[in-house]
Amino acid sequence: MPLFDVPGTRRASTFSDQPPADFHLLGPLRSLGTLACTQTGFLTDRAPDFRFPGPLQAIPELCRAAAAEYQRRDATAFRDWLSTQAAALPSAATLLRQAAELPVARAELLLVPLIYLNHLWRQGSPEDEPASGPSTMPAPLAELVVSTSNTAGTIPRFNQIVMTMLAWELDGVSGGEALTYQDITALDRMRPAFWLNHGNQSELDLYRAFFAVEAFGAPIYGWGCHALECAKVDDRAGATEALRRVQAALRNVFMVTKRLIPLIDPDEFRRIQVTCGWIEDEVTGVASGYQLPFLLMLDALFHVNFSHPDVIAARANNLRFVPEDWQAFFRMIYDHQPVLKTWVRESGDAALDKAYRSCVDLFALFRQMHRHLGGQAIKGGTTTGRVFGSAEKNYEQFMDEMAALVVDTTAAGDLAAAAAPDSPAAAASRGVRP
């Protein structure tokens, strides 16, 4: 897959401690270079490194041990075990002092096992119904997760950014080692750095399905931004080639996820995904694809305007976990002038028209596939961070929402209709501030 060379140097941390840049002034490609890179897109450009100095190394080690204990499916015994382990850790003062010395990017990675531990503690057993209400880990873990989340600048809840973008390892690549596109697309070598159901094959397949979207989708960011840059100067040939590359990357994502999703056992899916919500907590945590930059990029690039009120609400809820500068970047992509659809429509260029439509058609097909296969996995459970009266109602709503998404995506490819702005509610769900 040809990669577009993204200029600039990305920020070191995902949840940046810097304010968002003026992306409208920088333009698409220069803006992208502050957040992503040529080889790995929005995934980290180095393998996540969960080795920490001194007593902090006890945290990832405890998280790995906790996943095995959690698999015993006894919530009381698990919480007793974790309480005993927590009491044996160094004091809160010691851990907080060590954590305060970490750079922001390292604090982000320390937060990953803390978030997993917090989830495991709260749920207790994968066999139990999804936990509800607030939950506080025993000291010193409770103090450390709050302090580290403040340093990292993100909500300390299980979510898709933490799970897919940060919590992984790659066989044959040491933590901190530079990555290539070939590395991240070697899915047989990729595994979770931390487990919810230790060693579970269905969890591995689910993890790889989410990871594959970002890994195989990494080229779309550079080529998509290049298409917008070409539209700015009316370079139709350049944009046609860029959109062909976007379509090729999307095709790779489609083929890989189509193969992986049917491997996910529905019962195991519910044990993994369903119990990750923080229902009726002060912050309702979610782990949804609405957070992934791959989908944020395609929706913004092709002006996909959501119409279903529950989809709009779900996306707005999910965006609380998406870094602010990512949100600002994708708002800029959506707001870019000329709007890609409008420019293609007015160009009268047959090759450009075909390249654009092929992207949107495949994107709609991707969502149709997700609706069908995801529906098979979700039957009998509830989606993360949401409550339904029954499993049947949940399934019906999922299928209804996904059908609306397919319609909305298909409409973006109708060049006979002019590009229209989002409704106020849908615009707000993109992270646009009032």
Side-chain angles (χ1 to χ4, degrees):
M1 176 69 209
L3 305 175
F4 190 88
D5 188 23
V6 177
T9 303
R10 70 189 297 174
R11 297 178 182 182
S13 56
T14 299
F15 303 100
S16 176
D17 58 343
Q18 305 175 48
D22 187 343
F23 293 133
H24 287 278
L25 180 63
L26 290 175
L29 275 172
R30 288 176 61 201
S31 297
L32 178 65
T34 69
L35 306 175
C37 71
T38 303
Q39 294 290 328
T40 61
F42 277 78
L43 287 167
T44 56
D45 53 4
R46 294 182 176 274
D49 188 354
F50 295 103
R51 297 170 297 182
F52 296 97
L56 293 178
Q57 185 56 33
I59 302 303
E61 292 174 357
L62 177 59
C63 188
R64 293 187 176 102
E69 291 293 325
Y70 180 77
Q71 275 297 85
R72 298 180 187 275
R73 291 165 161 72
D74 184 330
T76 300
F78 173 77
R79 293 193 182 104
D80 287 344
W81 175 87
L82 187 54
S83 296
T84 300
Q85 297 298 313
L89 291 171
S91 68
T94 299
L95 292 172
L96 292 173
R97 183 173 61 253
Q98 289 279 325
E101 296 174 358
L102 296 175
V104 174
R106 298 294 295 146
E108 284 181 353
L109 289 179
L110 179 63
L111 184 61
V112 172
L114 287 168
I115 286 175
Y116 273 71
L117 281 167
N118 208 5
H119 162 72
L120 297 175
W121 166 265
R122 182 173 189 267
Q123 180 60 25
S125 166
E127 297 291 347
D128 291 353
E129 288 298 308
S132 61
S135 179
T136 302
M137 286 192 291
L141 295 172
E143 295 91 332
L144 188 58
V145 71
V146 171
S147 174
T148 308
S149 68
N150 289 337
T151 300
T154 188
I155 303 169
R157 296 290 183 267
F158 191 90
N159 62 75
Q160 201 58 250
I161 303 297
V162 167
M163 174 183 166
T164 300
M165 310 299 290
L166 297 175
W168 53 276
E169 294 176 329
L170 196 65
D171 291 336
V173 178
S174 300
E177 188 175 332
L179 298 164
T180 66
Y181 181 68
Q182 289 70 27
D183 287 327
I184 64 172
T185 54
L187 291 185
D188 59 320
R189 296 165 49 203
M190 194 285 301
R191 65 183 183 280
F194 305 100
W195 295 80
L196 299 175
N197 292 280
H198 185 75
N200 181 276
Q201 182 62 43
S202 192
E203 179 173 351
L204 180 60
D205 292 331
L206 174 66
Y207 204 98
R208 286 175 172 171
F210 276 118
F211 186 84
V213 170
E214 289 303 323
F216 286 90
I220 72 162
Y221 304 110
W223 288 112
C225 287
H226 181 54
L228 291 179
E229 302 274 7
C230 288
K232 193 81 171 179
V233 297
D234 200 30
D235 179 1
R236 300 173 188 180
T240 299
E241 180 63 20
L243 289 173
R244 286 171 178 162
R245 300 302 186 190
V246 170
Q247 199 265 359
L250 181 53
R251 184 175 64 246
N252 288 342
V253 171
F254 176 87
M255 296 303 294
V256 172
T257 53
K258 183 181 179 182
R259 176 178 63 83
L260 287 172
I261 293 175
L263 299 177
I264 301 166
D265 178 80
D267 289 335
E268 293 298 339
F269 171 83
R270 288 188 287 276
R271 289 190 181 97
I272 297 164
Q273 190 77 348
V274 171
T275 61
C276 290
W278 282 64
I279 305 296
E280 299 169 357
D281 177 54
E282 68 273 13
V283 177
T284 302
V286 291
S288 168
Y290 291 122
Q291 296 165 2
L292 292 178
F294 174 81
L295 294 173
L296 292 169
M297 178 67 178
L298 290 177
D299 282 331
L301 183 65
F302 296 114
H303 247 242
V304 177
N305 291 340
F306 291 5
S307 60
H308 196 296
D310 291 321
V311 172
I312 291 169
R315 182 172 64 173
N317 188 32
N318 273 268
L319 279 184
R320 295 172 305 136
F321 299 90
V322 177
E324 279 195 15
D325 49 6
W326 289 18
Q327 294 186 44
F329 171 77
F330 293 118
R331 287 198 298 271
M332 179 273 294
I333 295 296
Y334 181 85
D335 293 337
H336 186 270
Q337 296 295 323
V339 173
L340 189 59
K341 178 180 179 180
T342 301
W343 177 65
V344 172
R345 178 174 182 246
E346 294 175 352
S347 72
D349 187 295
L352 180 59
D353 182 300
K354 181 180 179 181
Y356 177 91
R357 289 176 189 264
S358 69
C359 288
V360 179
D361 288 349
L362 185 54
F363 189 24
L365 184 63
F366 172 83
R367 281 190 155 142
Q368 182 67 48
M369 178 268 292
H370 180 212
R371 177 177 185 265
H372 172 68
L373 297 180
Q376 299 307 304
I378 210 170
K379 279 184 177 179
T382 183
T383 49
T384 305
R386 302 166 76 178
V387 176
F388 295 89
S390 68
E392 292 76 16
K393 178 61 178 176
N394 170 53
Y395 173 74
E396 291 170 5
Q397 183 157 337
F398 173 83
M399 297 299 282
D400 183 51
E401 291 177 12
M402 289 303 298
L405 268 179
V406 172
V407 171
D408 295 339
T409 306
T410 301
D414 180 10
L415 292 177
D422 264 338
S423 68
S429 77
R430 291 185 186 276
V432 177
R433 299 182 182 89

